[in-house]
Amino acid sequence: MSATLEDSAATWSDHRADPPVIDPRLVPPTGASRSERLAAWRLRHHLRRDEADRVYAGARSPDRGWPVADDRAVLRFFRELIGRRRAMFATLVLLNALAAGTGLVVPRLLGELVDRTVDEAGAGIAGVAWLVVLVVCLQALFTFLGQVVSTRFGQDLLASSREFIVATILRLPVGRVEGASTGDLVTRVTRDVGTMSRSVQFGLPMAIISLLTVGLSVVAMLLNSVLLAVPSLLVISTSAVAVRNYLRTAPRGYITEGASYSRINTTLTETVEGARTVEALGLSDHRVRQGDDDIAVSAQAERYTMSLRNLLFAVIDVAFNTPRVVTLVVGAWGYANGWLSLGQITAAVLYVEALSGPLDRLVGELDRLQVGATSTARLLGIAEVPPDRAPGDALPDGRELVAQDLRFAYREGHDVLHGVDLRLRSGERLAVVGPSGSGKSTLGRLLSGINRPRTGSARVGGVDLVDLPLEVLRTEVALVTQEHHVFIGTVRDNIVLAREDSPDEAVWDALRAVGADDWVRRLPQGLDTRIGSGQQALTPAQAQEVALARLIIADPHTLVLDEATSLIDPRTARSVEGSMNALLEGRTVVAIAHRLHTAHDADRIAVVIDGRITELGSHHELVDREGGEYAALWRAWTS
Amino acid sequence: MRDFPPTVTSFWSPAGGAGAREVAPPPDTRGPVRFLRWTLRQQGPVVWVATLFGVLWQLPLIAGPWLFGWSIDNGIVPGDADAVALGAAGLFAVTLVGAVFGIALHTLVVRSWLISLYGTTMLVTRKAAQMGHVLPRRAPTGEILSVASSDSDEFGAMTEIIARAGSQLVSFLAVAGIVLATSPRLGVVVLIAAPVLFGVALPFLRPLHRRQQVERSRNSELTSLATDIVAGLRILRGIGGERTFRQNYERQSQSARAAGISAGVWQAVIEALGVLFSGVFLVLLLWLGAREVVAGRLSVGELVSFLGYGLYLIGPIRTFFEFAQKVTRALVSARKAVAIFEPEPPWRDPDRPIPLDAVGTLVDGTTGLVVRPGELTVVASAVPEDTARLADRLGRYLPADTEPVAEAGDEEEAGGDRRARRAERARRRAEIAARDAEKARGPWGVRLSGVDLGDASLAEVRRTVVVSDTSSQLFAGTLQDAVDPHRRLTREQAEEALLAANAEDVYDALPGGWQGVIDERGRGLSGGQRQRVVLARALGLDAPVLVLVEPTSAVDAHTEARIAERVTRVRSGRTTVVCTVSPLWLHHADRVVLLEGDHVVADGRHEDLLSDPAYRSVVARAMDDEEVAR
Ligand SMILES: Nc1ncnc2c1ncn2[C@@H]1O[C@H](COP(=O)(O)OP(=O)(O)OP(=O)(O)O)[C@@H](O)[C@H]1O
Ligand SMILES: [Mg+2]
């Protein structure tokens, strides 16, 4: 018996060698000297950077889960989006430039006021003051218009990009969706869309406005006095190196952070959705600890980006505040030599003062854009999943579904199907039976064109299923799996998915066929009752009935039912199958089942063992076969 | 000082055993405001220290203009190089102080943000641990998860804005003090004008606020739509309906966009007003200042520093607006969090719990079921829901008979309606909770060795009677962790459990054997493999009383026969209840019980019962062909 668990001893772990969740070197030392503490901090920073690099590399081409796009893809995406709104973008820039420009006149006028106060003992002050008021009013007007356009622009951009993302998700390769994690995808459409939206909605317009203000301020400073402006600008420009460094390293940090939040969410989702299991098995401690571990890992990622920001902010703070000192010194020197007036000095210091705001904001917005870009990269990563099919234009000629030499592997080198040949007769009911794990569901997926076989082909009317456009494919074959999901919406919405224009009679017919008309009629609002997460809940059996009704409405000529009635009690299931068959007269049905009454009632039975069809025939042909697999299975089942 | 991740021990503390653990008091859930206050208290001194650092960080802005003005008066105008040097040195010094405290401030702000964010997530996890299967009766799963994933962020944002607004308030007052000391007249203007400007803008905040609420509620609907799409993606991709869902999403997205724009227009109004007011404020300040200078009551340098302050003061005013907005958002989030954290477990352990004797007869008063110790009892019923209900009772679980009350989705309604609905929801929630509590606290009606399960502690019931029902889930991790989640089995025991569940093929199919990775929910395994790993896990617990509901519904007859035989063997001598109608189990049963509705209608050995037509009609599998409806 233990021959099957051969290397059990080698792979069993007693958990003593498990690495700790957090590398002990990442915990700051206590009671160390200053230099030791600094060295320890640098080590921590480097360890975290290595981790970020590792996560980033893994995220670019994951062996499971969804990838992350690179920076170029993000840039291209936004350039395209902006390109489509060129006129609006130009208006945005113009209005905000006007707002910033008028704003910059104010310090000049204030400087003028100072000069008049000092030199002319206050002559004409009132005139200048009224001028300033006028300019301020203009600035307010331009600000208002500029903001309105920015909001429109930002919201448009946001709406288009989230609609693009959802459209992309709805186009994901069917095979890939079947195999990959939902938790990560959910985190992306919630948290990442949120982050992206904040940066698109506020970050982008703000960055543009700040950039304009900074640019125009520089011009204004130069106009005010070259002598005062140049030294200040030089000091400010020293921060460019730090900013560039930051922009280069930060994305990986943020990607790592994003991945850590995906994990936190996935674990928590499992804990909450499996609350009953957790309680029944006494796993609460375990789940709580796992959640805490995820958070500990995430905290390390946060500490890394925090250090990066700290390094940046230190430089920025000094670089943006020092120009005041410079202005003072240069101003004193220029004033002493008679090259500068007090008004010019005043204007210069006001500019410097006014500049540090937008510059600060610009850097802040760059940071926000950075985070947003990272989220966008995670979102666009979904779009990078290569399509698993390129629909050809050949249309099927006939309805016959033929599988030839099907082989398939989920993991390279491990085929789970080893050359299956099967010819479905039009209108027949074929039952597929066999041991658990023998490849029945896999066969079902290939027969319904969800996955592409590694070798061989599954064809309908002479065309490979996976080469058909999806819309055509679905009129040919459809698959119902044991996994069910009830969408948020009415009962009707849930059933007419594939054909929205179905009349209510058709819906009721379908419900009657799956034995669901009774309970639907009893619902508070019948077909209009809202079901799905957070609404009226259905039992698993009811959900399965909804899934079957959905399929009846979709009405393809071939249906693959993978244990589609396993949650319904056996007797009801049998009568449901019977009435469904009556309704689906003329349709070909492939029913994968462990309950052999399905096989008994079918026209033919295929027995799948270890990825091969070993027997094929009707119940009567197979049930008495000497040494036959089906015969043995039947005996075991009915014993 | 506290750091992130925080230590959270409310609701549940993973350190100790069930009874002895130290559980911190739960959050204050008497209302959203109190909850926010509690959140702040969890920060310890972090927020206040951050506020202090914030003041020091703004030192260049507070002291800068004054130093500059002083240098003009004492250095530039009289041409005193030393005074200029002194002023420059002072300016540079405050710049450095600002930079150093900028780092300290940022560190603390991140710290406080993450204490709130991680803390909330940890609370949700612990709440789930504390409530177990009762939690989904109190709140929809989506809402529970969104408290952890998005509302937690609002609490973080709130701590940040409190620190920032607090420090700006202090600096504002400091600046006002400086201005007041230099020129009382102008000082009064500054002190009065700024709040007045803020006050004049306040009425405009209300419409903005309303529109932002609409925008937020549409956005959250958008999010749940997207989540629903992702969760049902497999079905959508399999059967069609992408177009409908895309159009739904687009419609919702466009309506969120419209709401966003209308909020944005009001935001623009406020921005423009800000520009207008602060500009006028500046001019006013300067005009008055200039007159003071002309009148000889003010020096030029002081005037220049006033201008600097005028510019500076715009910042705090903006921050106060932001403060008002973020606190409101945090309040909305707090309401959702309260709905999750408030419910208490319906259970109350008796003062003197009676220890359970696992080797005894298990009797269900409702159905009259009697399970003898050490036997394999199979419960058969034509209606699976009946046996599921029985299994729930045996394990002391509340029946799946109620829907949670959803919280979100009314931000767009008018105030009065909203309040009425809120009250209505609270009433319904309280009703469910009261019903649960009544059920959970009285005698339970199931007795083990004569002791009612309600008289024992719940932890002991869970340890003694393990129910593995059809909703049992696999968690992501290694195969070893899936079979031995408690990490207390030896390899031999784990192998035995795996073999008893006939799940050897899972071991062989996964690369890496015991360390092979199982994805969330066991995706990547076949349906039957998943079920068998779940069974192995249940067997590995070695529970005194084990209740298995439909443990082999997804496997073939051969596998089922093997499992029935092996499970019977490994469980021999211990009480086991299996709910199924499969003859393969019935053969091995020491006793079979036939359930109809909530009543045991027959019991005995399988062979003997077969003569009972009612029993035969439930379990027989021979095919009478005329029954087949074709
Ligand atoms: N998504 C997947 N990724 C990797 N391996 C998989 C995946 N799905 C199935 N397998 C493996 O492929 C093999 C065949 O699985 P399949 O689901 O086709 O079996 P099945 O015959 O339907 O079994 P059951 O009756 O238990 O549902 C199994 O060994 C299984 O572990
Ligand atoms: Mg299967």
Side-chain angles (χ1 to χ4, degrees), chain B residues 364-397:
Chain B
D364 175 37
T366 316
T367 54
L369 170 81
V370 176
V371 178
R372 296 206 200 102
E375 282 191 358
L376 170 65
T377 308
V378 173
V379 179
S381 156
V383 184
E385 283 80 17
D386 292 343
T387 43
R389 227 176 13 252
L390 172 66
D392 283 346
R393 251 195 327 273
L394 292 182
R396 206 173 164 206
Y397 291 92

Short mmCIF file of all heavy atoms in Angstrom, two decimals, chain B residues 364-397:
data_model
loop_
_atom_site.label_atom_id
_atom_site.label_comp_id
_atom_site.label_asym_id
_atom_site.label_seq_id
_atom_site.Cartn_x
_atom_site.Cartn_y
_atom_site.Cartn_z
N ASP B 364 -30.11 12.75 19.83
CA ASP B 364 -30.70 13.99 19.35
C ASP B 364 -32.17 14.00 19.73
O ASP B 364 -32.95 13.15 19.26
CB ASP B 364 -30.54 14.09 17.84
CG ASP B 364 -31.25 15.32 17.29
OD1 ASP B 364 -31.23 16.36 17.98
OD2 ASP B 364 -31.85 15.24 16.20
N GLY B 365 -32.55 14.94 20.57
CA GLY B 365 -33.91 14.99 21.07
C GLY B 365 -34.93 15.26 19.98
O GLY B 365 -36.03 14.71 19.99
N THR B 366 -34.60 16.08 19.00
CA THR B 366 -35.55 16.47 17.97
C THR B 366 -35.98 15.29 17.12
O THR B 366 -37.17 15.05 16.92
CB THR B 366 -34.93 17.55 17.07
OG1 THR B 366 -34.28 18.50 17.89
CG2 THR B 366 -36.00 18.22 16.23
N THR B 367 -34.99 14.55 16.60
CA THR B 367 -35.33 13.46 15.68
C THR B 367 -35.47 12.13 16.40
O THR B 367 -35.99 11.18 15.84
CB THR B 367 -34.22 13.29 14.63
OG1 THR B 367 -32.98 13.14 15.30
CG2 THR B 367 -34.15 14.50 13.72
N GLY B 368 -34.95 12.06 17.62
CA GLY B 368 -34.95 10.79 18.32
C GLY B 368 -33.80 9.90 17.90
O GLY B 368 -33.78 8.70 18.17
N LEU B 369 -32.82 10.49 17.22
CA LEU B 369 -31.65 9.72 16.79
C LEU B 369 -30.82 9.30 18.00
O LEU B 369 -30.57 10.10 18.90
CB LEU B 369 -30.79 10.58 15.86
CG LEU B 369 -29.42 10.00 15.52
CD1 LEU B 369 -29.53 8.97 14.41
CD2 LEU B 369 -28.47 11.11 15.11
N VAL B 370 -30.39 8.04 18.00
CA VAL B 370 -29.52 7.56 19.06
C VAL B 370 -28.26 6.99 18.41
O VAL B 370 -28.35 6.11 17.56
CB VAL B 370 -30.21 6.46 19.89
CG1 VAL B 370 -29.24 5.91 20.93
CG2 VAL B 370 -31.46 7.01 20.54
N VAL B 371 -27.11 7.55 18.76
CA VAL B 371 -25.85 7.05 18.21
C VAL B 371 -25.09 6.37 19.33
O VAL B 371 -24.74 6.99 20.33
CB VAL B 371 -25.01 8.20 17.63
CG1 VAL B 371 -23.69 7.68 17.10
CG2 VAL B 371 -25.78 8.93 16.55
N ARG B 372 -24.84 5.07 19.15
CA ARG B 372 -24.16 4.35 20.23
C ARG B 372 -22.66 4.57 20.14
O ARG B 372 -22.11 4.70 19.05
CB ARG B 372 -24.49 2.86 20.14
CG ARG B 372 -25.96 2.63 20.34
CD ARG B 372 -26.22 1.22 20.87
NE ARG B 372 -27.61 0.90 20.59
CZ ARG B 372 -27.97 0.11 19.57
NH1 ARG B 372 -27.06 -0.42 18.79
NH2 ARG B 372 -29.25 -0.11 19.35
N PRO B 373 -22.00 4.59 21.27
CA PRO B 373 -20.56 4.86 21.28
C PRO B 373 -19.79 3.78 20.54
O PRO B 373 -20.14 2.60 20.60
CB PRO B 373 -20.21 4.86 22.76
CG PRO B 373 -21.30 4.11 23.44
CD PRO B 373 -22.53 4.35 22.63
N GLY B 374 -18.77 4.20 19.83
CA GLY B 374 -17.87 3.27 19.18
C GLY B 374 -18.44 2.65 17.91
O GLY B 374 -17.81 1.81 17.29
N GLU B 375 -19.62 3.09 17.50
CA GLU B 375 -20.23 2.48 16.33
C GLU B 375 -20.18 3.40 15.12
O GLU B 375 -20.04 4.61 15.26
CB GLU B 375 -21.70 2.16 16.62
CG GLU B 375 -21.89 0.92 17.45
CD GLU B 375 -23.35 0.48 17.50
OE1 GLU B 375 -24.22 1.17 16.90
OE2 GLU B 375 -23.61 -0.55 18.12
N LEU B 376 -20.32 2.77 13.94
CA LEU B 376 -20.51 3.57 12.73
C LEU B 376 -22.00 3.62 12.45
O LEU B 376 -22.62 2.60 12.16
CB LEU B 376 -19.77 2.94 11.55
CG LEU B 376 -20.08 3.55 10.18
CD1 LEU B 376 -19.61 4.99 10.11
CD2 LEU B 376 -19.45 2.75 9.06
N THR B 377 -22.57 4.80 12.57
CA THR B 377 -23.99 4.97 12.32
C THR B 377 -24.16 5.72 11.01
O THR B 377 -23.52 6.75 10.81
CB THR B 377 -24.65 5.79 13.44
OG1 THR B 377 -24.31 5.19 14.69
CG2 THR B 377 -26.15 5.85 13.27
N VAL B 378 -24.96 5.20 10.12
CA VAL B 378 -25.22 5.92 8.88
C VAL B 378 -26.64 6.47 8.92
O VAL B 378 -27.58 5.75 9.26
CB VAL B 378 -25.03 5.00 7.65
CG1 VAL B 378 -25.49 5.72 6.39
CG2 VAL B 378 -23.58 4.58 7.53
N VAL B 379 -26.76 7.77 8.61
CA VAL B 379 -28.08 8.39 8.57
C VAL B 379 -28.47 8.56 7.11
O VAL B 379 -27.75 9.19 6.35
CB VAL B 379 -28.07 9.75 9.28
CG1 VAL B 379 -29.45 10.39 9.21
CG2 VAL B 379 -27.62 9.60 10.72
N ALA B 380 -29.58 7.98 6.73
CA ALA B 380 -30.03 8.08 5.34
C ALA B 380 -31.32 8.88 5.30
O ALA B 380 -32.16 8.76 6.19
CB ALA B 380 -30.26 6.68 4.77
N SER B 381 -31.43 9.72 4.27
CA SER B 381 -32.66 10.48 4.11
C SER B 381 -32.82 10.83 2.65
O SER B 381 -31.85 11.04 1.93
CB SER B 381 -32.59 11.75 4.96
OG SER B 381 -33.47 12.71 4.42
N ALA B 382 -34.06 10.90 2.20
CA ALA B 382 -34.29 11.23 0.80
C ALA B 382 -33.99 12.70 0.54
O ALA B 382 -33.72 13.10 -0.58
CB ALA B 382 -35.74 10.91 0.43
N VAL B 383 -34.05 13.50 1.56
CA VAL B 383 -33.83 14.94 1.39
C VAL B 383 -32.51 15.33 2.07
O VAL B 383 -32.42 15.30 3.29
CB VAL B 383 -34.99 15.74 2.01
CG1 VAL B 383 -34.83 17.22 1.76
CG2 VAL B 383 -36.32 15.23 1.49
N PRO B 384 -31.48 15.68 1.31
CA PRO B 384 -30.18 15.98 1.90
C PRO B 384 -30.25 17.09 2.95
O PRO B 384 -29.49 17.07 3.91
CB PRO B 384 -29.33 16.41 0.71
CG PRO B 384 -30.05 15.96 -0.50
CD PRO B 384 -31.49 15.82 -0.15
N GLU B 385 -31.17 18.06 2.74
CA GLU B 385 -31.24 19.18 3.70
C GLU B 385 -31.59 18.68 5.10
O GLU B 385 -31.15 19.25 6.09
CB GLU B 385 -32.27 20.23 3.26
CG GLU B 385 -31.80 21.15 2.14
CD GLU B 385 -31.90 20.49 0.77
OE1 GLU B 385 -32.60 19.47 0.63
OE2 GLU B 385 -31.25 20.99 -0.18
N ASP B 386 -32.38 17.60 5.17
CA ASP B 386 -32.76 17.08 6.48
C ASP B 386 -31.55 16.55 7.23
O ASP B 386 -31.37 16.81 8.42
CB ASP B 386 -33.79 15.95 6.33
CG ASP B 386 -35.13 16.48 5.83
OD1 ASP B 386 -35.33 17.72 5.93
OD2 ASP B 386 -35.94 15.68 5.36
N THR B 387 -30.70 15.78 6.53
CA THR B 387 -29.53 15.25 7.21
C THR B 387 -28.54 16.36 7.54
O THR B 387 -27.89 16.33 8.57
CB THR B 387 -28.81 14.19 6.35
OG1 THR B 387 -28.75 14.66 5.02
CG2 THR B 387 -29.52 12.87 6.43
N ALA B 388 -28.45 17.37 6.65
CA ALA B 388 -27.55 18.49 6.93
C ALA B 388 -27.97 19.19 8.21
O ALA B 388 -27.14 19.54 9.05
CB ALA B 388 -27.54 19.46 5.76
N ARG B 389 -29.30 19.35 8.36
CA ARG B 389 -29.80 20.00 9.57
C ARG B 389 -29.46 19.19 10.81
O ARG B 389 -29.04 19.72 11.83
CB ARG B 389 -31.32 20.17 9.45
CG ARG B 389 -31.76 21.55 9.82
CD ARG B 389 -33.23 21.84 9.64
NE ARG B 389 -34.12 20.73 9.41
CZ ARG B 389 -34.71 20.47 8.25
NH1 ARG B 389 -34.46 21.23 7.20
NH2 ARG B 389 -35.54 19.46 8.11
N LEU B 390 -29.61 17.86 10.67
CA LEU B 390 -29.29 16.99 11.80
C LEU B 390 -27.81 17.08 12.16
O LEU B 390 -27.45 17.19 13.34
CB LEU B 390 -29.65 15.54 11.43
CG LEU B 390 -29.20 14.48 12.43
CD1 LEU B 390 -29.95 14.66 13.74
CD2 LEU B 390 -29.43 13.07 11.89
N ALA B 391 -26.95 17.07 11.14
CA ALA B 391 -25.51 17.14 11.40
C ALA B 391 -25.18 18.45 12.11
O ALA B 391 -24.36 18.48 13.04
CB ALA B 391 -24.73 17.03 10.09
N ASP B 392 -25.82 19.54 11.68
CA ASP B 392 -25.59 20.83 12.34
C ASP B 392 -25.95 20.73 13.82
O ASP B 392 -25.24 21.23 14.68
CB ASP B 392 -26.44 21.93 11.70
CG ASP B 392 -25.85 22.40 10.38
OD1 ASP B 392 -24.68 22.06 10.13
OD2 ASP B 392 -26.55 23.08 9.61
N ARG B 393 -27.08 20.07 14.08
CA ARG B 393 -27.50 19.98 15.48
C ARG B 393 -26.51 19.17 16.28
O ARG B 393 -26.15 19.52 17.40
CB ARG B 393 -28.89 19.35 15.55
CG ARG B 393 -29.95 20.36 15.95
CD ARG B 393 -31.25 19.73 16.37
NE ARG B 393 -31.59 18.50 15.71
CZ ARG B 393 -32.26 18.43 14.56
NH1 ARG B 393 -32.64 19.53 13.93
NH2 ARG B 393 -32.57 17.26 14.03
N LEU B 394 -26.07 18.04 15.71
CA LEU B 394 -25.15 17.17 16.45
C LEU B 394 -23.87 17.91 16.81
O LEU B 394 -23.26 17.66 17.84
CB LEU B 394 -24.80 15.93 15.62
CG LEU B 394 -25.94 14.95 15.39
CD1 LEU B 394 -25.44 13.75 14.60
CD2 LEU B 394 -26.52 14.48 16.72
N GLY B 395 -23.44 18.81 15.94
CA GLY B 395 -22.19 19.51 16.21
C GLY B 395 -22.40 20.85 16.91
O GLY B 395 -21.46 21.60 17.11
N ARG B 396 -23.64 21.15 17.23
CA ARG B 396 -23.99 22.43 17.85
C ARG B 396 -23.64 23.62 16.95
O ARG B 396 -22.88 24.51 17.32
CB ARG B 396 -23.32 22.58 19.22
CG ARG B 396 -24.11 23.52 20.11
CD ARG B 396 -23.57 23.57 21.51
NE ARG B 396 -24.08 24.73 22.23
CZ ARG B 396 -23.45 25.31 23.22
NH1 ARG B 396 -22.29 24.84 23.64
NH2 ARG B 396 -23.96 26.35 23.82
N TYR B 397 -24.17 23.54 15.74
CA TYR B 397 -24.06 24.67 14.81
C TYR B 397 -25.45 25.24 14.61
O TYR B 397 -26.42 24.48 14.62
CB TYR B 397 -23.51 24.23 13.46
CG TYR B 397 -22.06 23.82 13.51
CD1 TYR B 397 -21.71 22.49 13.73
CD2 TYR B 397 -21.05 24.75 13.38
CE1 TYR B 397 -20.38 22.11 13.80
CE2 TYR B 397 -19.72 24.39 13.44
CZ TYR B 397 -19.39 23.06 13.65
OH TYR B 397 -18.09 22.71 13.73
#
